[in-house]
Structures are given as structure tokens and as C-alpha cells.
């Protein structure tokens, strides 16, 4: 089921909506400092411009662009994936109820306008696009959504913490 926007709580990823703005408090166009200020615990910083968070098995990453050393640089992509056993109810979902673990068939049924592009790893990436924003769904060949990203560019990085 889709999250109820009126039930939003920054402490509860199960209340967050995935949309063209971002994933809950992870908003494309905001700053890493702004995201950190909104969240209940600090990030792990794997390299300048890339902050990661672990919400009980739900991994979220925010990546700033332009000048990664500049704390005012805007966030250009936010990404989520399961990094441990994840309670399906404790994760963000789109307004159509799509989240990690949803099947590609469910994704395709929910979004007729879905397009496919090739990811950097050669896998198929399913995308929604509107107003120069993209929501990308990756199944990594499994048939179930493994990674969801929201970005301001069509490309999807395969790794953000690598040097």
C-alpha cells in the first residue's frame, strides 16, 4: 500500500513517499547539510559529497553534485536499497504502492508510462520522467525491485561510494 502523506514522520521511513521530489526527507535539490538537519541521526560519509544512512536495514544515499566539497552544492540523486532484512511495511513507497521488493510486473502495471534504459552495469533500469526529474527502479535481473533512485538526470550510477 502507498504511504498516507498525512501520517508523515521523519523518524518512520514507512510514512515516506517516493516521488519526483525525492524519497521522504531526501530531497533532490536540497543540500547534504539540510538533509542531515532533518534526520534523527548523522550520516556515514563514504567520500566528500556522498552521505549514507541506515534505517534498520534500509540504506539511503544522498549525492551532491557540481562541487562535492561545497556544503551548499545541491543534492542531485537520492537512492535507497535494502542492506539487511527489511520489514516491507517500514519502507517508503510511491503513491501507487511500489517499493523495494515489488515485482517488475507490479511496477509495469502501476505505471503505463514507464520507460526502460540500460544501466551502467548493463542491466535494465525502469524509469519515470517528469519535469527534468527521474525515478529509477532497478531489479538487477531478479524480477524484484532492488534499488530506487530519484535524480535530476537520466543516468543512473552503479556505485556512489567508490573512489
Amino acid at each position: 500500500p502507498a504511504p498516507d502523506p498525512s501520517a508523515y514522520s521523519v523518524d518512520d521511513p514507512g510514512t515516506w513517499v517516493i516521488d519526483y521530489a525525492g524519497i521522504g526527507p531526501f530531497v533532490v535539490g536540497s543540500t547534504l547539510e539540510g538533509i542531515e538537519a532533518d534526520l534523527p541521526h548523522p550520516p556515514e560519509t563514504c567520500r566528500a559529497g556522498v552521505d549514507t544512512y541506515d534505517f534498520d536495514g534500509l540504506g539511503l544515499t544522498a549525492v551532491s553534485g557540481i562541487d562535492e566539497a561545497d556544503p551548499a552544492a545541491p543534492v542531485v540523486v537520492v537512492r535507497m536499497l535494502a542492506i539487511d532484512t527489511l520489514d516491507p511495511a517500514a519502507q517508503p513507497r510511491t503513491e501507487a504502492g511500489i517499493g523495494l521488493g515489488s515485482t517488475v510486473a507490479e511496477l509495469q502495471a502501476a505505471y503505463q508510462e514507464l520507460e526502460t534504459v540500460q544501466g551502467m552495469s548493463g542491466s535494465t533500469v525502469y524509469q519515470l520522467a517528469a519535469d527534468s526529474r527521474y525515478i529509477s527502479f532497478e531489479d538487477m535481473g531478479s524480477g524484484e525491485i532492488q534499488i530506487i533512485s530519484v535524480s535530476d538526470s537520466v543516468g543512473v550510477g552503479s556505485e556512489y561510494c567508490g573512489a
Side-chain angles (χ1 to χ4, degrees), residues 46-119:
C46 60
R47 67 177 177 90
V50 181
D51 285 353
T52 61
Y53 294 82
D54 180 352
F55 287 87
D56 297 322
L58 178 67
L60 286 121
T61 301
V63 182
S64 66
I66 305 170
D67 179 1
E68 294 174 341
D70 179 0
V75 169
V76 295
V77 64
V78 295
R79 169 183 266 190
M80 78 173 197
L81 66 151
I83 53 177
D84 202 351
T85 302
L86 179 65
D87 175 0
Q91 65 161 312
R93 293 187 178 274
T94 68
E95 291 177 353
I98 300 297
L100 299 175
S102 295
T103 66
V104 170
E106 290 167 334
L107 175 66
Q108 291 169 325
Y111 297 103
Q112 302 300 312
E113 70 275 28
L114 199 63
E115 298 178 7
T116 58
V117 296
Q118 185 172 350

Side-chain angles (χ1 to χ4, degrees), residues 112-143:
Q112 302 300 312
E113 70 275 28
L114 199 63
E115 298 178 7
T116 58
V117 296
Q118 185 172 350
M120 293 182 78
S121 63
S123 64
T124 299
V125 176
Y126 304 88
Q127 279 189 332
L128 297 169
D131 299 324
S132 300
R133 291 280 174 92
Y134 301 87
I135 305 175
S136 302
F137 303 87
E138 300 174 67
D139 72 340
M140 311 304 284
S142 72

